């Protein structure tokens, strides 16, 4: 690693190590048939799971976890607002960047992490907390990773719907394959948080709700805190 490994820089190197190690599963064993169309998932879900891992294991504080999510939301919202990216989608971000993931990094990594957060909260809400994103990744690992079979974008839609017990095809059609903005505020509200966003500035601010519902508290606990 190039960056210093010190307690003060913990948020940087713990996240990076967790992200790259998780790629042994998501992106390694669990491999997409179309890298370009699935980059938002194998990078974004990996980034989201890396953040969850370092908060769950106590390597970072809740405050740092929320700051990390604020950066992801702010970068994604700026990408949605900025004129140079208006014709791109999360699914088409690699192609539209000429094959270079860094051209549309706010979509692939940041937007992918936000989309994964939304998938996680939506699955939990739909199943009353019985299932979450980990169940989706586990199912896909069994069907594709351990079987040595690359998955297609339609496989991801099918498996997410199966885990949630509801048709999630509209989520992928609206927010992944098309240009519609992810329902960030609703997703975070379902986890007991309020979000304020200034898309043109690339800023986002997350605050815990004063009186979240019981279901929101349950999702918040499953996501990261008090686990």
């Amino acid at each position: 690693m190039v960056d210093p490994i010190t307690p003060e820089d913990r948020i940087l190197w713990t996240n990076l190590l967790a992200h790259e190690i998780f790629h042994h599963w998501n992106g390694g064993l669990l491999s997409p048939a179309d890298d370009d169309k699935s980059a938002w998932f194998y990078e974004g879900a990996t980034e989201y799971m890396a953040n969850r891992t370092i908060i769950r294991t106590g390597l970072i504080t809740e405050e740092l976890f929320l700051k990390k999510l604020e950066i992801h939301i702010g970068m994604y919202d700026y990408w949605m607002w900025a004129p140079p990216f208006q014709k791109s989608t999360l699914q088409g971000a690699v192609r539209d960047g000429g094959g270079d993931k860094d051209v549309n990094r706010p979509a692939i990594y940041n937007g992918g992490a936000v989309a994964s957060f939304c998938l996680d909260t939506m699955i939990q809400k739909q199943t009353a907390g019985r299932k979450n994103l980990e169940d989706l990744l586990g199912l896909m690992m069994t069907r594709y990773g351990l079987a040595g079979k690359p998955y297609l974008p339609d496989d991801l839609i099918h498996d997410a719907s199966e885990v949630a017990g509801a048709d999630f095809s509209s989520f992928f059609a609206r927010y992944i394959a098309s240009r519609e903005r992810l329902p960030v505020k609703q997703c975070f509200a379902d986890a007991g948080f309020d979000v304020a966003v200034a898309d043109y500035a690339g800023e986002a601010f997350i605050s815990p709700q004063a009186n979240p519902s019981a279901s929101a508290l349950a999702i918040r606990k499953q996501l990261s805190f008090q686990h």
Side-chain angles (χ1 to χ4, degrees):
M1 294 184 62
V2 176
D3 295 327
I5 297 182
T6 66
E8 293 76 19
D9 296 311
R10 178 176 291 182
I11 182 61
L12 300 177
W13 58 263
T14 56
N15 171 266
L16 176 59
L17 289 175
H19 181 108
E20 298 305 333
I21 289 171
F22 200 80
H23 268 321
H24 284 289
W25 290 273
N26 190 24
L29 278 172
L30 184 57
S31 178
D34 189 327
D35 283 354
D36 288 359
K37 289 185 177 180
S38 301
W40 72 271
F41 184 74
Y42 69 72
E43 291 294 358
T46 294
E47 176 64 15
Y48 172 58
M49 293 301 295
N51 294 331
R52 283 183 51 179
T53 298
I54 58 178
I55 176 75
R56 283 183 168 185
T57 52
L59 290 169
I60 63 169
T61 63
E62 177 180 329
E63 181 183 9
L64 283 176
F65 178 76
L66 292 178
K67 282 185 177 180
K68 194 72 170 174
L69 289 176
E70 287 173 345
I71 292 170
H72 286 314
I73 296 169
M75 291 287 284
Y76 164 71
D77 262 54
Y78 175 78
W79 176 80
M80 286 293 295
W81 172 86
F85 306 117
Q86 290 303 302
K87 294 183 179 180
S88 189
T89 64
L90 291 186
Q91 184 171 278
V94 175
R95 177 202 63 206
D96 296 336
D100 184 353
K101 287 190 293 184
D102 286 337
V103 173
N104 274 304
R105 186 178 182 86
I108 296 164
Y109 289 84
N110 304 109
V114 175
S116 297
F117 179 94
C118 283
L119 267 179
D120 197 6
T121 58
M122 291 171 71
I123 290 172
Q124 290 189 62
K125 185 177 181 181
Q126 184 66 35
T127 64
R130 294 187 299 273
K131 299 289 181 64
N132 58 27
L133 186 66
E134 293 173 34
D135 293 287
L136 171 58
L137 289 167
L139 175 63
M140 294 180 69
M141 183 59 66
T142 299
R143 286 182 172 169
Y144 315 111
L146 299 179
K149 176 185 175 184
Y151 68 89
L152 296 164
D154 285 346
D155 293 325
L156 175 55
I157 298 172
H158 175 272
D159 293 345
S161 300
E162 181 177 329
V163 169
D167 185 0
F168 268 32
S169 58
S170 64
F171 173 88
F172 290 88
R174 294 169 62 186
Y175 307 119
I176 307 301
S178 297
R179 185 67 190 171
E180 191 169 344
R181 189 184 301 268
L182 284 161
V184 173
K185 291 188 176 182
Q186 183 60 57
C187 292
F188 276 83
D190 288 339
F193 296 100
D194 291 320
V195 179
V197 179
D199 49 14
Y200 60 91
E203 295 180 343
F205 304 93
I206 301 171
S207 57
Q209 293 177 345
N211 296 296
S213 66
S215 63
L217 279 175
I219 291 176
R220 187 192 300 181
K221 180 180 178 181
Q222 182 61 243
L223 286 171
S224 58
F225 313 126
Q226 307 162 8
H227 189 74

